[in-house]
Amino acid sequence: MTIYDISEKAGVSIATVSRVLNGSKNVSEKTRSKVLDTIQQCGYTPNAFARGLGLNTMNTVGIMCADSSDPYLAKAVYHIEQKLRANGYDSLLCCTGYELEDKISSMNLLLTKKVDGIILAGSNFIYEKDTENKYIADAAAQIPVMLLNAALDVPNVYSIVSDDFTSMHDATLQMAQAGIKDILYFYNSSSYSGKKKLEGYKAAMQESGLWLPDLVQFFSGSREDIHAMQEHLKTLDERGIRFHGVIASDDILALAAVKYAKEMHYRIPEDFSVLGYNNSMLADCCDPELTSIDNKLETLCQHLITILLGVLAGNEMPKKAVFSGEIIKRGTTR
Amino acid sequence: MTIYDISEKAGVSIATVSRVLNGSKNVSEKTRSKVLDTIQQCGYTPNAFARGLGLNTMNTVGIMCADSSDPYLAKAVYHIEQKLRANGYDSLLCCTGYELEDKISSMNLLLTKKVDGIILAGSNFIYEKDTENKYIADAAAQIPVMLLNAALDVPNVYSIVSDDFTSMHDATLQMAQAGIKDILYFYNSSSYSGKKKLEGYKAAMQESGLWLPDLVQFFSGSREDIHAMQEHLKTLDERGIRFHGVIASDDILALAAVKYAKEMHYRIPEDFSVLGYNNSMLADCCDPELTSIDNKLETLCQHLITILLGVLAGNEMPKKAVFSGEIIKRGTTR
DNA sequence: TCCGATTATGTAAGCCCTTACATTTCTCAT
DNA sequence: ATGAGAAATGTAAGGGCTTACATAATCGGA
């Protein structure tokens, strides 16, 4: 079943069929409906490959994310996919892992597949050194590249970020102003947003005269590292160093801190405050419920898609958009 | 940059270039390397659309899942995507939501895009009535359809399921044998696997002479419903009906039960046992950690892909594969 | 050395659309 | 009624690849 069959059955030329298929202006109402009818009757659907060959697009955008089973990234992928499809685009998903090499090969794969744009979901896609970000610039030379939770000033790259610095700064300040002087900071990533968060924490601590480098510790989100973190706290405790506040760059770490505090029978939040990040489902599941920073993921995604669609439509679009987060106060902070 | 440019620069015909591109047998080693070299030099990549048009495939499979931000489904999508890409296939992701109508339109979309196969990730894709499953049979008439955690006996549909009945049956029996006589059952879905789980519970309860229809309650995983569930327990309690065990079809519900029990100051697991399902991250985050049934998602996904690849390669493959689950014992059961 | 069988390469016909350009059909002001 | 301009339709040339078939090169055995 091809366009020829339809054109024949409808008694028109293939060009006319193609025109009604593509909603072209210059078709009389009469022939349009005639063609539409026969298309309906025959249950014809145009061949996507031939269409792609002619139009040089198949209305597909590539989504790259390190690990779509990470709850936060999963949410991001979900929102992005939904909004793309609502606008007639399909999503080619690539879970790249965290290695640069794999990211590059995934990106090349997407370019080969001729996607219309690429979305890098997650701040782990940009690196310290500019040379390591070359793969993004290279892709952007061909098609628009969208960055979620990361920013890069390169032509044809568009960044949508939440203001992690301010969110973390304000939350830290609140905790300090509540009288907690020894606020530990646990982070699990040195990605773009990971750094912003740390900077926000550090700035607030410095303003409050509480800053000490030793307060900051890195722990990956892995099971082992989470235990390591808890051991770390316990060790401090045994040495008589008792902390009263923990800020984590991620709800998972925050939850681990809560769990530790409960094992030690600290009262939360009276004697021990914990702040998480991402306002994930974990925050609800925790007991007491976890205070966490919500960085408005859906809003970010919505905006990202809006900008991408604008770019694809040939419009001039802002290179960077920044959104505010929000502290969702629950039971682990005063 | 087309195959013509390469053929010219390499001094061969386009057919030869195409042959080396497709790893055809009949090319002398000398010309192969010559062509490969010029391809390398020119940085040429074949046009995927033209390729698709010629071969009538673009090595893409569609993944449908109701909601890729659901932790369990997110994991499934992740594993599937990984394993597909490791085998040279790309993943077109469609988050369909839970409405039949939307599932059908997503499916048609994937068919239009000429994917090589469709994976339905999650048991919510099959319905009670056969007529409602027609969309699956229709798709299977065109391309292989893979079912994860669901089964349907239709040509060209392949089912990969975990033995939820047995898992739930055995777990329930264990709890009953531990002396708990009043085991509530909370479920959040009447999907294929949801029913199997319930049946497993029911069978074990009947065998133990403990079965009562009133023990079974439905609660969706939404925030409101989770509170409703906790209210439900409280109401029972206030009427002097005190339960000592809860089995949930999902970790989220199980967690809510744990939280409730803690608020009531029941001792877990001495006075109150809870069993979850899926062995999700939530199970670790819970305090005490949640006993949960692991249905070996990665194994299922691995097998699913193996079968799909076999089918696509034209081999005869088993229509249904069943895997055993495992009870992961943690702190919420004796 | 020569011939048939292999193996390597080339030619050209699709695959199914889109679209520039050519042609025909309307419209409507004169 | 008529001709210019607009609107509708048709013709045909790609788009970049695969592959059946034709042809040329190579090989091995008698």
Side-chain angles (χ1 to χ4, degrees):
Chain A
M1 179 68 60
T2 75
I3 204 172
Y4 288 90
D5 301 317
I6 301 299
S7 82
E8 194 173 330
K9 291 212 173 105
V12 297
S13 73
I14 58 163
T16 301
V17 177
S18 178
R19 286 193 192 96
V20 336
L21 241 27
N22 293 288
S24 170
K25 199 89 200 166
N26 296 330
V27 185
S28 74
E29 206 41 60
K30 205 197 306 181
T31 56
R32 158 170 280 112
S33 65
K34 185 170 58 182
V35 170
L36 247 24
D37 281 356
T38 62
I39 284 177
Q40 186 86 51
Q41 272 173 38
C42 304
Y44 161 79
T45 50
N47 179 301
F49 299 141
R51 203 123 192 278
L53 187 55
L55 294 169
N56 204 35
T57 163
M58 222 158 106
N59 292 321
T60 307
V61 341
I63 305 177
M64 287 171 60
C65 84
D67 173 1
S68 68
S69 75
D70 171 292
Y72 185 78
L73 296 178
K75 272 235 162 62
V77 168
Y78 175 76
H79 286 132
I80 290 170
E81 194 277 343
Q82 289 280 298
K83 292 173 203 314
L84 278 176
R85 194 145 47 80
N87 287 283
Y89 284 86
D90 288 320
S91 303
L92 213 46
L93 177 67
C94 268
C95 306
T96 63
Y98 291 92
E99 298 299 323
L100 175 56
E101 198 183 332
D102 296 333
K103 290 174 186 172
I104 293 175
S105 74
S106 289
M107 187 154 249
N108 288 332
L109 193 144
L110 288 177
L111 291 174
T112 300
K113 292 270 173 152
K114 298 206 145 235
V115 295
D116 297 310
I118 291 183
I119 297 171
L120 303 183
S123 55
N124 53 74
F125 284 100
I126 74 167
Y127 291 87
E128 289 277 352
K129 296 182 213 149
D130 276 349
T131 54
E132 291 176 311
N133 295 322
K134 187 167 172 299
Y135 75 108
I136 298 180
D138 288 348
Q142 299 185 44
I143 52 174
V145 174
M146 311 297 301
L147 261 36
L148 176 66
N149 284 332
L152 194 63
D153 187 15
V154 162
N156 211 26
V157 172
Y158 297 83
S159 308
I160 286 82
V161 298
S162 88
D163 188 354
D164 296 314
F165 175 91
T166 303
S167 300
M168 196 55 107
H169 172 272
D170 294 356
T172 305
L173 214 55
Q174 278 185 24
M175 210 183 264
Q177 285 169 351
I180 304 171
K181 306 250 169 279
D182 47 355
I183 308 173
L184 285 164
Y185 186 85
F186 295 150
Y187 69 106
N188 65 352
S189 156
S190 296
S191 64
Y192 178 89
S193 67
K195 270 183 291 198
K196 295 287 179 197
K197 292 177 199 172
L198 178 52
E199 286 167 13
Y201 160 82
K202 183 172 168 181
M205 291 295 272
Q206 286 175 330
E207 288 166 29
S208 311
L210 302 173
W211 166 250
L212 283 176
D214 286 349
L215 295 170
V216 176
Q217 294 279 337
F218 171 87
F219 294 104
S220 84
S222 73
R223 264 178 208 191
E224 307 80 54
D225 245 34
I226 280 178
H227 286 140
M229 186 206 96
Q230 292 169 332
E231 283 305 309
H232 173 69
L233 282 172
K234 185 162 277 173
T235 308
L236 289 173
D237 209 303
E238 285 165 1
R239 285 198 277 148
I241 310 171
R242 162 85 162 78
F243 287 90
H244 299 82
V246 164
I247 292 181
S249 68
D250 183 287
D251 284 343
I252 295 182
L253 289 180
L255 223 63
V258 169
K259 212 164 157 191
Y260 164 79
K262 279 161 70 178
E263 279 168 20
M264 300 299 284
H265 300 293
Y266 298 160
R267 288 180 307 156
I268 301 175
E270 294 80 0
D271 299 337
F272 197 85
S273 294
V274 180
L275 173 78
Y277 211 104
N278 281 349
N279 191 27
S280 64
M281 190 198 338
L282 298 176
D284 285 308
C285 297
C286 182
D287 176 37
E289 292 182 356
L290 184 68
T291 297
S292 186
I293 291 170
D294 187 322
N295 59 9
K296 308 287 182 54
L297 181 56
E298 185 168 2
T299 305
L300 298 181
C301 291
Q302 176 64 65
H303 207 80
L304 185 148
I305 300 303
T306 303
I307 293 188
L308 175 57
L309 294 174
V311 172
L312 291 177
N315 303 325
E316 195 70 28
M317 285 284 158
K319 296 270 310 179
K320 183 170 177 180
V322 181
F323 289 80
S324 302
E326 184 183 355
I327 305 172
I328 309 292
K329 200 145 171 25
R330 297 204 186 78
T332 58
T333 54
R334 285 181 264 162
Chain B
M1 179 67 59
T2 77
I3 204 173
Y4 288 91
D5 301 317
I6 301 298
S7 82
E8 194 173 331
K9 291 213 175 105
V12 297
S13 73
I14 58 163
T16 301
V17 178
S18 178
R19 286 195 191 95
V20 336
L21 242 25
N22 293 289
S24 171
K25 200 85 201 167
N26 296 332
V27 184
S28 73
E29 205 43 59
K30 203 197 308 182
T31 56
R32 159 170 280 112
S33 66
K34 184 170 58 182
V35 170
L36 247 25
D37 280 355
T38 63
I39 285 177
Q40 186 87 49
Q41 271 173 39
C42 304
Y44 161 79
T45 50
N47 179 301
F49 299 140
R51 203 121 191 278
L53 187 55
L55 293 169
N56 205 35
T57 162
M58 219 158 110
N59 291 319
T60 308
V61 342
I63 305 176
M64 287 171 60
C65 85
D67 173 2
S68 68
S69 75
D70 171 292
Y72 185 78
L73 296 178
K75 273 235 163 60
V77 168
Y78 174 76
H79 287 133
I80 291 170
E81 193 276 342
Q82 289 280 297
K83 292 174 203 315
L84 279 175
R85 193 144 49 79
N87 287 282
Y89 284 86
D90 288 321
S91 303
L92 214 45
L93 177 67
C94 268
C95 305
T96 63
Y98 290 92
E99 298 299 325
L100 175 56
E101 197 182 333
D102 296 332
K103 289 173 185 170
I104 293 175
S105 74
S106 288
M107 186 153 250
N108 287 333
L109 192 144
L110 287 177
L111 291 174
T112 300
K113 292 271 172 150
K114 300 206 145 234
V115 295
D116 297 310
I118 291 183
I119 297 171
L120 303 183
S123 56
N124 53 74
F125 283 100
I126 76 167
Y127 291 88
E128 289 277 351
K129 297 181 212 148
D130 275 349
T131 54
E132 291 177 310
N133 295 323
K134 187 167 172 298
Y135 76 107
I136 297 179
D138 289 348
Q142 300 185 45
I143 52 173
V145 174
M146 311 298 300
L147 260 37
L148 177 66
N149 284 332
L152 193 64
D153 188 14
V154 161
N156 210 27
V157 172
Y158 298 82
S159 309
I160 286 81
V161 297
S162 88
D163 189 355
D164 296 313
F165 175 91
T166 303
S167 299
M168 197 55 107
H169 172 272
D170 293 357
T172 306
L173 213 55
Q174 277 186 24
M175 211 184 264
Q177 286 169 351
I180 304 171
K181 305 249 169 278
D182 47 354
I183 307 173
L184 285 164
Y185 186 85
F186 295 150
Y187 69 106
N188 65 352
S189 157
S190 296
S191 64
Y192 179 89
S193 67
K195 270 183 292 199
K196 295 286 178 197
K197 293 178 200 172
L198 178 52
E199 287 167 13
Y201 161 81
K202 184 173 169 181
M205 291 295 274
Q206 286 175 332
E207 288 166 29
S208 311
L210 301 173
W211 166 249
L212 284 175
D214 287 349
L215 294 170
V216 175
Q217 295 279 336
F218 171 87
F219 294 104
S220 83
S222 72
R223 263 176 210 195
E224 306 80 54
D225 245 34
I226 280 178
H227 285 139
M229 187 207 96
Q230 292 169 332
E231 284 305 310
H232 172 70
L233 281 172
K234 185 162 278 173
T235 308
L236 289 173
D237 209 303
E238 284 165 2
R239 286 198 276 147
I241 309 171
R242 163 84 161 79
F243 286 91
H244 299 83
V246 164
I247 292 180
S249 68
D250 183 287
D251 284 343
I252 294 182
L253 289 180
L255 224 62
V258 169
K259 213 164 156 190
Y260 164 78
K262 279 161 70 177
E263 280 168 19
M264 300 300 285
H265 301 292
Y266 298 159
R267 288 180 308 157
I268 302 174
E270 293 79 1
D271 299 339
F272 197 84
S273 293
V274 179
L275 173 77
Y277 211 105
N278 280 349
N279 191 28
S280 63
M281 191 197 342
L282 298 176
D284 284 309
C285 297
C286 182
D287 176 36
E289 292 182 355
L290 184 68
T291 297
S292 185
I293 291 169
D294 187 321
N295 58 9
K296 308 287 180 59
L297 181 55
E298 185 168 2
T299 305
L300 298 180
C301 292
Q302 176 64 65
H303 208 78
L304 186 148
I305 299 303
T306 303
I307 294 188
L308 175 57
L309 294 174
V311 172
L312 290 177
N315 303 326
E316 195 70 27
M317 285 285 157
K319 297 270 308 179
K320 183 171 177 180
V322 181
F323 289 80
S324 302
E326 184 183 354
I327 305 172
I328 309 293
K329 198 142 173 28
R330 296 206 186 78
T332 59
T333 56
R334 281 180 266 162

